[in-house]
């Protein structure tokens, strides 16, 4: 027992090898990276607070602040962050509305041709069906874009408010993004809706017109930058 204590005194423990362990989190970064991380977190916090403020002013009852800054609030909210109360007062749809699109294209060989109608809503439905975690884009982007368009245009497809041009640009951007995947140069696009009423259940005596009705929009020229 004495011998072991004597050997321990003659051979003190060697100092630990390597650099000391880094502090966890941002504190373990070098000074420049800590400053960069702090700036990034600050930017995220400011953006989140700004977004919450804009949404609050949008859904809150009309007040002095929201009236004074209506333009800023609407430009931030529409169309991607539009809010509504359908979650609390649902109105089940009684019609199936499909949004279809076609394009006038210039092929790689230089030939001008018009594509067949593509059912964009059916493509979204195929992506959602049997998918336990469908994306918000597949569920709502096209549907909300069409609702946005019809809500800001009359039956003759003429804008009925200041948001008409915005709804057209939004709908056009979505359609071009879908059709451009084929690789041809798109010159013009056209959209239409196919509306079919949901048939009454077998036990009901109600008669329902299940014929499909179309609403065609005019051709839109696609900018070269689209």
């Amino acid at each position: 027992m004495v011998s072991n204590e004597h050997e321990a005194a003659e051979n003190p423990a060697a100092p630990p090898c390597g650099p000391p362990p880094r502090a966890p989190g941002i504190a373990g970064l070098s000074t420049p990276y800590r400053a960069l991380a702090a700036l990034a977190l600050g930017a995220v916090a400011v953006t989140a607070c700004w977004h919450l403020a804009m949404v609050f002013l949008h859904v809150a009852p009309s007040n002095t602040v929201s009236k004074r800054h209506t333009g800023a609030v609407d430009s931030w909210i529409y169309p991607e962050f539009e809010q509504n109360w359908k979650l609390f007062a649902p109105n089940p749809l009684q019609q199936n509305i499909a949004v279809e699109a076609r394009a006038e294209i210039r092929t790689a060989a230089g030939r001008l041709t018009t594509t067949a109608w593509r059912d964009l809503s059916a493509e979204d439905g195929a992506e959602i069906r049997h998918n336990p975690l469908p994306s918000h884009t597949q569920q709502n982007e096209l549907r909300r874009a069409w609702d946005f368009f019809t809500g800001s245009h009359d039956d003759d497809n003429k804008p009925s408010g200041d948001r008409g041009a915005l709804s057209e640009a939004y709908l056009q951007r979505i359609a071009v993004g879908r059709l451009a995947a084929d690789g041809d140069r798109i010159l013009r696009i056209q959209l239409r809706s196919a509306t079919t009423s949901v048939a009454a259940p077998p036990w009901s005596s109600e008669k329902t017109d299940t014929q499909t009705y179309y609403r065609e929009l005019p051709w839109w020229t696609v900018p070269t930058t689209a």
Side-chain angles (χ1 to χ4, degrees), residues 41-109:
L41 291 175
V44 171
V46 170
T47 303
C49 291
W50 174 265
H51 177 71
L52 292 176
M54 292 296 101
V55 172
F56 173 78
L57 291 175
H58 176 67
V59 301
S62 181
N63 55 75
T64 303
V65 177
S66 63
K67 290 179 180 178
R68 181 177 301 175
H69 302 286
T70 299
V73 173
D74 288 349
S75 63
W76 180 267
I77 293 295
Y78 293 109
E80 285 84 359
F81 305 120
E82 183 179 1
Q83 308 290 311
N84 60 64
W85 296 100
K86 290 183 179 179
L87 174 65
F88 305 101
N91 182 19
L93 295 177
Q94 298 179 344
Q95 297 174 322
N96 289 319
I97 303 177
V99 179
E100 303 175 353
R102 64 177 178 175
E104 185 180 87
I105 63 174
R106 179 81 65 183
T107 65

Side-chain angles (χ1 to χ4, degrees), residues 11 15 104 115:
N11 299 290
E104 185 180 87
T115 66

Side-chain angles (χ1 to χ4, degrees), residues 14-222:
C17 298
R22 292 193 310 171
I26 297 178
L29 300 175
S30 62
T31 301
Y33 284 105
R34 284 204 301 270
L36 183 61
L39 288 175
L41 291 175
V44 171
V46 170
T47 303
C49 291
W50 174 265
H51 177 71
L52 292 176
M54 292 296 101
V55 172
F56 173 78
L57 291 175
H58 176 67
V59 301
S62 181
N63 55 75
T64 303
V65 177
S66 63
K67 290 179 180 178
R68 181 177 301 175
H69 302 286
T70 299
V73 173
D74 288 349
S75 63
W76 180 267
I77 293 295
Y78 293 109
E80 285 84 359
F81 305 120
E82 183 179 1
Q83 308 290 311
N84 60 64
W85 296 100
K86 290 183 179 179
L87 174 65
F88 305 101
N91 182 19
L93 295 177
Q94 298 179 344
Q95 297 174 322
N96 289 319
I97 303 177
V99 179
E100 303 175 353
R102 64 177 178 175
E104 185 180 87
I105 63 174
R106 179 81 65 183
T107 65
R111 187 166 59 92
L112 186 66
T113 184
T114 300
T115 66
W117 288 103
R118 274 179 54 179
D119 191 338
L120 304 182
S121 297
E123 294 176 5
D124 283 350
E127 292 291 335
I128 295 171
R129 193 170 294 111
H130 308 306
N131 185 351
L133 298 172
S135 71
H136 176 77
T137 298
Q138 293 164 345
Q139 296 180 81
N140 297 314
E141 181 185 57
L142 183 62
R143 178 182 62 83
R144 295 296 298 132
W146 184 258
D147 288 345
F148 184 24
F149 177 87
T150 56
S152 57
H153 288 71
D154 58 23
D155 293 337
D156 296 323
N157 300 320
K158 302 295 183 183
S160 55
D162 297 335
R163 296 191 294 155
L166 177 62
S167 68
E168 291 180 7
Y170 185 45
L171 191 59
Q172 175 180 304
R173 188 170 70 233
I174 294 173
V176 170
R178 304 285 186 91
L179 301 179
D182 296 335
D184 296 314
R185 179 188 172 193
I186 300 177
L187 304 178
R188 298 193 303 163
I189 62 169
Q190 186 182 29
L191 289 97
R192 72 178 182 182
S193 65
T195 303
T196 308
S197 296
V198 176
W203 46 262
S204 174
S205 60
E206 179 183 357
K207 302 299 180 181
T208 306
D209 180 8
T210 56
Q211 179 180 346
T212 300
Y213 294 91
Y214 295 93
R215 174 178 177 175
E216 287 193 4
L217 306 187
W219 282 95
W220 290 334
T221 301
V222 177

